[in-house]
Amino acid sequence: MRQVDILIVGGGSAGMAAAAAAHEHGAKDILILERSDRLGGILCQCIHNGFGLHRYQEELTGPEYARRNIDVIRERKIPYSLNTFVLDITPEKVATIMDPEHGLQKIQAKAIILAMGCRERPRGALMIPGTRPAGVITAGAAQKYLNLEGYLPGKRVVILGSGDIGLIMARQFVMEGIQVQEVVELMPYSSGLTRNISQCLNDFNIPLRFSSTVIEIKGQKRVSSVVVAQVDADRRPIPGTEREIACDTLLISAGLIPENELSKAAGVRMTPSTKGAVVDDHLQTSVPGIFACGNVLHVHDLVDNVSMESEAVGRNAARYVSGQLADSEFAACIPVVEGRGVGGLVPQYICRTEEPEPLKLMFRPRGVYQNAAICVLADGSCVARKKSLVLTPGEMCEIELDRKMVTDAIQVCVEIQ
C-alpha cells in the first residue's frame, strides 16, 4: 500500500490551490488525483473571460486561469496522476484508485482533501414529462461540445433555468449564430449573478421569464418544441398559461450538486443545506483528517473564492499532518445556526482556539431582500452586522467577525430594515 501525507481528490482549481498552499506550508509528500486527461477541471472548457479579477487583479479566461495554477503545480514538482478514478475512501483515509497504467491501487494518507467539484442537475432530476428525443442537454455538456469539440448543439434553443453556465451559454449561442428563444426560470428571481443577467441576456435582448417552467417536451427523433407554463407560489403550473415554443434544443441550467459520493463513502457527515459536508472553521469534516473545499463543499459563484478557500484548506491540512492541528471534534465546538433568511451556511462549527485570524461565515439568502443587513447573534446580541442594498440567492454572502466575540452558539440571520 502506497503511503502519502496529503492526498487530494480532484485536480481542478480547488485541488491545485490546496496542493500549492500545502506545499508552501511544509507538506512535501502530496499527490493530486484527477479523473480527466488534464489538470484544470471545468475551467478548461470555460473560454469566456471574467476569471481572476479578485485573485490576480486581471481578467482571464478559464483556460488562462487554469494555466496559472498548473504552472505552479509543475514549478513546485507536486506529483499528480491523470485519468485516475477514486473508487472508494474509508474513514481510515485509505483510498482505492484505478488508473490505466497501474490498475487497482490502495493509498494510505495522513490527510485527505476532497476537491471533486460539482455536477449539473440532469433532466431526470427535474421530472419533465414528454417524449425522449435528442436535443435535451445540460449547459455544461453544451459548453464542452461547443468549446472543446467544435459542435453546435442546436439552432433554436430554449434554456430552462438561469444558472450562470446557462446564462453564459445563452450569450455564446447568439454569438455563434444560434437563436435563443428565451430563458425560463422556475423561481421569481434568477439563480445567476446579476452581472451575467446584464451582460449575457439584457445586452443580447434575450427574454427571461420568471415563475415559469417547462411542463412538456415534444418531438420524436429530435426536440420540436417545448410547452412552458407559469407557476404559482407553490411552483405548480397554472392551468391556462401554457404556451408552446418551437425549438430543436432544450438546454437545462437548473443548478449544481456537489459530487459527494466519495464523501459519503468515507463516513463524512453531510448537511441538506449545502448538499455538502459539515465542517468546522478549518474546513475539516466530521472524519478527522479529511477536509473539503470548493464546490464539493458548497457551490461558489466565483472561481477566485474557490481558490482562496482551498488555499486555507491546504494550509490546514499541512498543519494537521505536522501535528499542529487537532482532530475534528464537533461536540466540543461552537455551533453556527442558520436563522431567518439564511441557507447553505458554512462553516457549521467553530473550534475553540486562540487563533488571531477573524472568522468568515458564508451563506446564500433564501430570498431576495432589499435594504437588508446580515446579523450574527450571540446570546441574543448582535456581535457583527453587515448592511446590503440587495441580497439575492444568486450571490453568496460573507461576513467576518472577531473570534473573541464567539463563546457560545451563534446564529446568522437576515434583518430587514
Side-chain angles (χ1 to χ4, degrees), residues 45-48 142-150 169 172:
Q45 66 186 49
C46 299
I47 65 172
H48 55 279
Q143 187 180 58
K144 180 179 180 181
Y145 286 144
L146 188 59
N147 295 343
L148 295 184
E149 301 177 11
M169 289 309 297
Q172 191 172 355

Side-chain angles (χ1 to χ4, degrees), residues 185-254:
E185 171 58 54
L186 177 68
M187 304 301 291
Y189 49 78
S190 173
S191 59
L193 292 171
T194 302
R195 75 180 190 193
N196 285 334
I197 297 292
S198 175
Q199 297 173 2
C200 300
L201 298 188
N202 298 344
D203 289 355
F204 290 84
N205 298 315
I206 300 172
L208 171 59
R209 312 294 185 191
F210 291 119
S211 300
S212 301
T213 191
V214 173
I215 61 172
E216 185 180 359
I217 299 171
K218 295 186 176 182
Q220 295 302 317
K221 292 184 178 181
R222 179 85 190 191
V223 173
S224 60
S225 65
V226 295
V227 178
V228 174
Q230 297 177 19
V231 298
D232 58 21
D234 296 321
R235 306 177 197 172
R236 293 177 298 191
I238 302 173
T241 64
E242 301 88 352
R243 54 194 176 89
E244 189 169 344
I245 304 174
C247 62
D248 62 13
T249 303
L250 175 64
L251 190 80
I252 297 175
S253 178

